[in-house]
C-alpha cells in the first residue's frame, strides 16, 4: 500500500490525535521526521506536543460550582476512550476530593460528547430523589442539551440547577441562558505547534518541546448558588 511517510522532503508532521495515529507517529519518529502532536499529552513517547490541561479544566469547573455553595455536583463525561474525557473527569473528582466532598458514582454519567448521551444523563439526574443542584458537562453541546431537558421539565436555570460546559463554542452564548464554560485555547495551541515545529526543523530549538496550555473559566449566566 501507499505509505505517506515514504517522502524525503517532509520537514515535519503535525498530528491532531494520537490514538488513531500512533503507528504513523512511531514510523515517522523512526525515520527521524520531526513530529508534533496537538491536543494530547504524550507520556510514553519522546515526541513534541502542545496540549490543553484538561485535568485543570475539569477541576476549575467543579471548583467554581463548589465556590458557589454546591455540594451535589454531577457530571456528564466526555468519551472515556479519549484523553480529554478521562482527564476532565479526573479533574472534577480531584476538585470534589480537595473540598472533602463525596465523589458519588450515581452522579457520574459516562457520556460521549453527543447530545443524546446528555439527554439520557439529564433524564437520570433530574428524576433523582436526591437530584444534583449542579452539573458539569464535558462539552458545551452536552451542556446545552442538559439545559434543554431541564427547561422541558420545568426547571429554571440557574435557580434550580447550575450548568457548566467545556469548550466555549460560539453557540454557548445562544442557549436560553448564556452558558458558563471552560474556554480551550485551541487557536493558540495550533499556532504554538506550528511555531515550535518550524523552530525545531530550522534547528533553532531542541526537541522535545512539550507545552501544556491552561483553559480558562468563562462566567456567564448558567450558574448560581443552590437554593437554600
Amino acid at each position: 500500500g501507499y505509505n505517506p511517510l515514504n517522502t524525503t522532503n517532509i520537514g515535519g508532521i503535525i498530528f491532531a490525535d494520537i490514538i488513531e495515529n500512533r503507528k504513523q507517529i512511531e514510523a515517522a519518529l523512526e525515520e527521524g521526521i520531526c513530529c508534533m502532536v496537538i491536543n494530547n499529552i504524550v507520556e510514553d513517547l519522546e515526541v513534541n506536543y502542545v496540549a490543553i490541561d484538561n485535568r485543570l479544566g475539569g477541576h476549575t469547573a467543579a471548583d467554581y460550582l463548589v465556590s458557589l455553595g454546591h455540594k451535589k455536583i454531577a457530571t456528564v463525561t466526555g468519551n472515556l476512550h479519549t484523553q480529554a474525557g478521562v482527564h476532565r473527569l479526573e479533574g472534577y473528582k480531584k476538585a470534589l476530593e480537595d473540598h472533602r466532598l463525596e465523589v458519588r458514582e450515581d452522579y457520574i454519567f459516562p457520556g460521549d460528547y453527543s447530545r443524546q448521551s446528555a439527554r439520557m444523563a439529564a433524564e437520570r439526574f433530574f428524576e433523582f430523589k436526591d437530584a444534583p443542584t449542579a452539573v458539569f458537562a464535558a462539552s458545551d453541546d452536552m451542556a446545552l442539551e442538559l439545559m434543554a431537558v431541564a427547561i422541558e421539565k420545568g426547571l429554571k436555570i440557574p435557580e434550580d440547577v447550575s450548568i457548566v460546559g467545556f469548550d466555549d463554542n460560539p453557540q454557548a452564548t445562544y442557549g436560553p441562558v448564556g452558558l458558563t464554560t471552560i474556554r480551550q485555547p485551541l487557536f493558540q495551541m495550533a499556532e504554538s505547534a506550528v511555531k515550535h515545529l518550524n523552530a525545531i526543523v530550522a534547528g533553532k530549538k531542541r526537541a522535545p518541546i512539550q507545552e501544556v496550555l491552561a483553559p480558562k473559566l468563562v462566567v456567564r449566566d448558567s450558574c448560581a448558588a443552590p437554593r437554600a
Side-chain angles (χ1 to χ4, degrees):
Y2 167 67
N3 177 356
L5 297 177
N6 269 346
T7 48
T8 46
N9 56 357
I10 293 179
I13 307 174
I14 291 183
F15 291 94
D17 178 18
I18 186 160
I19 299 166
E20 302 297 322
N21 299 326
R22 194 172 178 99
K23 287 199 171 66
Q24 283 109 311
I25 293 171
E26 287 170 352
L29 291 173
E30 269 177 39
E31 299 256 331
I33 296 169
C34 185
C35 295
M36 174 69 71
V37 176
I38 57 173
N39 217 4
N40 230 292
I41 292 170
V42 190
E43 282 159 349
D44 53 349
L45 280 178
E46 189 84 346
V47 67
N48 308 292
Y49 61 77
V50 182
I52 282 160
D53 191 340
N54 282 298
R55 280 194 189 97
L56 176 64
H59 193 285
T60 302
D63 195 62
Y64 174 63
L65 291 168
V66 174
S67 77
L68 293 173
H70 291 278
K71 294 186 167 65
K72 297 192 286 185
I73 303 166
T75 186
V76 189
T77 74
N79 182 337
L80 296 176
H81 293 299
T82 64
Q83 186 180 68
V86 171
H87 284 185
R88 286 170 201 179
L89 174 60
E90 286 175 0
Y92 153 91
K93 286 180 170 176
K94 176 88 168 65
L96 296 187
E97 286 163 3
D98 288 350
H99 291 286
R100 297 188 168 76
L101 292 172
E102 184 194 356
V103 176
R104 292 175 49 165
E105 286 306 315
D106 59 344
Y107 277 2
I108 299 172
F109 188 95
D112 58 11
Y113 299 118
S114 72
R115 286 193 170 237
Q116 188 188 3
S117 69
R119 178 161 287 266
M120 287 162 63
E123 294 287 351
R124 186 202 287 179
F125 292 152
F126 301 148
E127 297 299 330
F128 275 169
K129 279 221 172 15
D130 196 16
T133 57
V135 187
F136 160 50
S139 75
D140 287 349
D141 242 12
M142 295 196 299
L144 291 167
E145 190 66 19
L146 286 172
M147 223 181 243
V149 178
I151 290 165
E152 283 165 26
K153 292 187 181 293
L155 298 171
K156 282 200 173 68
I157 297 160
E159 294 84 352
D160 296 318
V161 62
S162 291
I163 294 175
V164 180
F166 202 113
D167 290 330
D168 200 23
N169 282 348
Q171 73 231 44
T173 53
Y174 296 129
V177 176
L179 179 65
T180 293
T181 186
I182 303 290
R183 176 180 293 154
Q184 306 199 65
L186 294 175
F187 180 75
Q188 191 192 339
M189 178 173 68
E191 205 177 32
S192 188
V194 171
K195 272 194 195 136
H196 288 320
L197 194 56
N198 285 336
I200 295 166
V201 170
K204 291 178 184 152
K205 280 189 181 166
R206 292 181 63 97
I209 289 171
Q210 298 176 332
E211 184 182 10
V212 182
L213 304 173
K216 292 195 171 58
L217 178 69
V218 180
V219 176
R220 295 198 182 94
D221 311 312
S222 63
C223 296
R227 285 187 194 275

